[in-house]
Amino acid sequence: MVAAYAYTQDKLFIGGEWVAPLDGEVVPSIDPSTGAHWALAAFGGKRDVDRAVEAAGAAMRGPWGRMPVAERAALMRKLGGLLEANAERIAELETRDNGRPLRETRLNITAEAQWYYYFAGLADKLDGRMMQINPALIAYTTRVPVGVVGAIVPWNAPTLVTTMKLAPALAAGCAMVIKVAEHTPVTTYELARLVEQAGFPKGVVNVVPGWGHVAGAHLAGHPGVDKLSFTGEHRTAQEIMRAGAANLKRVSFECGGKSPHIVFEDADLEQAANAVAHAGFMACGQSCALGSRILVARPLYAKLVDEVGARAAKLRVGNPLEATTHIGPQTHKDQLEKTLRYIDIGKSEGARLVAGGVRLTDAGRDKGYFVSPTVFADVKPEMRIAQEEIFGPVVSMIPFDSEEHALEIANGVNYGLTAGLWTRDLGRAHRFSSQLRAGTVWVNTYRIIHPAVPYGGFKISGIGRENGPEAIDEYTEPRATMINLEGKYPYPYA
Ligand code: NAD
């Protein structure tokens, strides 16, 4: 039976060993382009999470906690190198597991090595402050690893999201238990193999995929976990926050988005059309940074709607392993149904369907979860398709009449992750960016995510930042030490 699967991993990576689940299970993983089981994957249960948390705690108290920072950084660089060397193979596995086109997973996974290199470089720069309070009193701060980190990861980019948590956590000296999404366990086992090969001490990195309501919830409430780093839906973040309240866990959350992509009348129309179409359909629409609301200055509106509609109609939707494919399937059946449901909502709200709007079942796509790239025009800002995160390849095009009007629409949602704008007016670029309630603003470009540049959200898009030196703050506690240089302590009650 096992031979029927293209990939099998029936063990979890805990405490540096590959171990069978104690109270978990071995579950088939679905290839979303065929709807068929393609891999078998070990899921952890509560006892497995307990073991992993214990192993991470032991690593913090053991050799990892005492390791000179240069050695820690060297291990991270080794992991980056191994990731580069294995990028092609891991990219193919990720594409099988989540359906994202190979052309995108290949770029992502190759780039991930840069996170380990960048944060290895920061590891020996975690310096503090020194203060002379008065001639007899000095104070200084040091940065202490926050401790055992629980990382809870979604399915749309499992290795990239894991890496954005793991690299700064390792640089800070933390140990981690990784709970990747139930839909896409495979590539995180591969990351664990590379961690093992790089020679990290046992227990520094533990991989326990599993069900959100079982392994995820248990990790979120575990008293041995000091911090939770979560990427996913804000509703899950709320549950995790409640579960973590018992020991006041530190949290950082990267949640969803409904990003505005704004095209002013002075924009280069051709470049803007390229960008808004790419930003609206990348990752099969399953990206937190998706430019899903396209706000266009009225004089350009009709032309840009035509341009984006024409580009959407030409995108090749199909087998994500093929080099010519632009858009793969939705990663799982529930997401497919959610995307189709929102397309129906858009139609019933009165938006004008310009392109797509259907499930694709011809040409060998009948069992996969394919949706045609969908463009709605004449969308009103208050419509549900313009307010709620769909997480599928569906964009809403909205006209605006002035800068103030554009700003009001752009900020008029509960999300605040990213935004893009196209203008050749430098003053407007600065003025407008500074008023956007978004963690990242891209001007005349879109979706550049770089290890050196902080990434995270305002409002329900999250708490805290990944990437850049800001990410190190998420994995360290500042400790203040105050020293009385004279050693005198007059008794106040004398
Ligand atoms: P999700 O919230 O359903 O699941 C995310 C993870 O949480 C999974 O591992 C899941 O198993 C786990 N989980 C579910 N219930 C849990 C519980 N009760 N306790 C603990 N863990 C639990 O999100 P998803 O559907 O996997 O991912 C899509 C969402 O992720 C979108 O909203 C998207 O915008 C967001 N996302 C954000 C970023 C970012 O950087 N801001 C990046 C990627 C995805």
Side-chain angles (χ1 to χ4, degrees):
M1 170 192 156
V2 170
Y5 295 95
Y7 182 98
T8 299
Q9 178 50 266
D10 58 0
K11 299 213 164 51
L12 306 165
F13 186 64
I14 297 177
E17 314 285 340
W18 290 92
V19 295
L22 278 180
D23 62 347
E25 50 191 314
V26 180
V27 176
S29 194
I30 290 174
D31 175 341
S33 54
T34 61
H37 294 164
W38 81 280
L40 260 191
F43 278 18
K46 291 182 182 178
R47 286 168 61 205
D48 299 304
V49 169
D50 289 344
R51 282 197 294 180
V53 172
E54 227 165 84
M60 293 293 302
R61 295 186 298 274
W64 179 245
R66 294 189 293 271
M67 185 177 280
V69 70
E71 283 177 38
R72 208 157 77 206
L75 287 173
M76 293 176 65
R77 289 194 184 93
K78 203 162 168 196
L79 179 58
L82 287 166
L83 199 52
E84 270 182 306
N86 287 276
E88 184 65 23
R89 190 177 57 79
I90 295 178
E92 277 183 32
L93 293 172
E94 190 141 301
T95 288
R96 284 296 298 273
D97 223 17
N98 80 350
R100 193 162 174 167
L102 186 55
R103 57 162 67 207
E104 290 184 9
T105 50
R106 187 182 277 145
L107 281 179
N108 267 358
I109 289 164
T110 307
E112 282 162 32
Q114 300 307 319
W115 264 260
Y116 295 100
Y117 301 149
Y118 173 80
F119 282 102
L122 276 191
D124 62 0
K125 297 170 191 67
L126 309 187
D127 36 21
R129 291 193 294 133
M130 156 62 190
M131 293 145 278
Q132 179 103 36
I133 308 298
N134 63 44
L137 185 64
I138 58 166
Y140 61 87
T141 59
T142 44
R143 308 281 288 277
V144 182
V146 73
V148 173
V149 178
I152 301 183
V153 174
W155 39 264
N156 63 329
T159 51
L160 179 63
V161 172
T162 301
T163 289
M164 281 166 52
K165 301 179 184 317
L166 183 58
L170 292 174
C174 296
M176 189 172 261
V177 177
I178 302 165
K179 205 301 286 173
V180 71
E182 43 274 65
H183 308 96
T184 54
V186 165
T187 45
T188 317
Y189 302 125
E190 293 302 307
L191 192 62
R193 285 198 181 291
L194 303 185
V195 164
E196 193 181 18
Q197 233 175 300
F200 280 87
K202 292 178 188 308
V204 175
V205 179
N206 306 273
V207 170
V208 185
W211 303 108
H213 63 282
V214 181
H218 195 58
L219 188 61
H222 203 294
V225 173
D226 301 289
K227 188 216 156 83
L228 287 165
S229 178
F230 166 79
T231 299
E233 266 222 44
H234 71 277
R235 287 181 204 84
T236 316
Q238 289 164 335
E239 279 186 47
I240 287 175
M241 212 168 194
R242 279 190 284 271
N247 67 335
L248 291 189
K249 283 186 182 55
R250 279 78 185 117
V251 293
S252 45
F253 292 151
E254 295 295 333
C255 301
K258 193 74 190 174
S259 299
H261 203 167
I262 305 142
V263 183
F264 287 100
E265 63 279 6
D266 63 343
D268 179 326
L269 189 72
E270 169 77 14
Q271 305 307 316
N274 290 343
V276 294
H278 179 230
F281 301 122
M282 63 190 178
C284 321
Q286 301 170 137
S287 166
C288 54
L290 203 75
S292 53
R293 293 185 298 144
I294 304 171
L295 279 44
V296 190
R298 185 91 56 187
L300 294 187
Y301 185 72
K303 176 83 177 128
L304 201 65
V305 168
D306 288 349
E307 291 283 335
V308 175
R311 281 170 170 75
K314 280 197 202 129
L315 291 172
R316 286 186 293 272
V317 183
N319 182 348
L321 287 167
E322 278 173 18
T324 52
T325 294
H326 298 131
I327 311 279
Q330 302 289 274
T331 296
H332 56 88
K333 200 153 175 279
D334 289 349
Q335 181 56 49
L336 168 75
E337 284 162 5
K338 180 178 174 192
T339 301
L340 294 173
R341 204 163 51 244
Y342 271 103
I343 290 172
D344 284 344
I345 291 171
K347 288 180 192 161
S348 66
E349 285 180 311
R352 175 163 62 92
L353 186 64
V354 173
V358 290
R359 179 175 180 182
L360 297 168
T361 52
D362 59 338
R365 296 178 289 195
D366 55 320
K367 298 211 171 56
Y369 309 144
F370 297 96
V371 179
S372 56
T374 299
V375 179
F376 279 113
D378 304 343
V379 175
K380 303 251 177 349
E382 64 279 10
M383 287 180 179
R384 284 184 65 193
I385 54 166
Q387 287 287 326
E388 297 170 19
E389 187 186 41
I390 301 172
F391 219 54
V394 181
V395 295
S396 293
M397 300 195 65
I398 306 172
F400 66 82
D401 296 304
S402 64
E403 214 173 289
E404 296 68 36
H405 187 205
L407 188 67
E408 188 189 317
I409 303 172
N411 286 339
V413 293
N414 288 331
Y415 296 97
L417 188 60
T418 63
L421 60 101
W422 286 82
T423 179
R424 284 186 269 210
D425 176 338
L426 190 61
R428 171 187 273 158
H430 286 293
R431 186 170 62 242
F432 199 85
S433 319
S434 71
Q435 297 176 85
L436 282 167
R437 301 282 295 159
T440 300
V441 182
W442 291 294
V443 180
N444 296 335
T445 184
Y446 204 85
R447 202 194 170 274
I448 299 174
I449 295 179
H450 190 276
V453 184
Y455 184 77
F458 286 31
K459 304 195 252 182
I460 63 166
S461 288
I463 296 177
R465 291 293 179 269
E466 296 196 299
N467 305 340
E470 289 82 354
I472 293 283
D473 295 343
E474 305 288 341
Y475 296 98
T476 52
E477 299 270 20
R479 178 168 46 221
T481 305
M482 300 182 90
I483 301 186
N484 176 355
L485 303 179
E486 292 176 352
K488 291 191 182 128
Y489 199 104
Y491 190 54
Y493 306 133

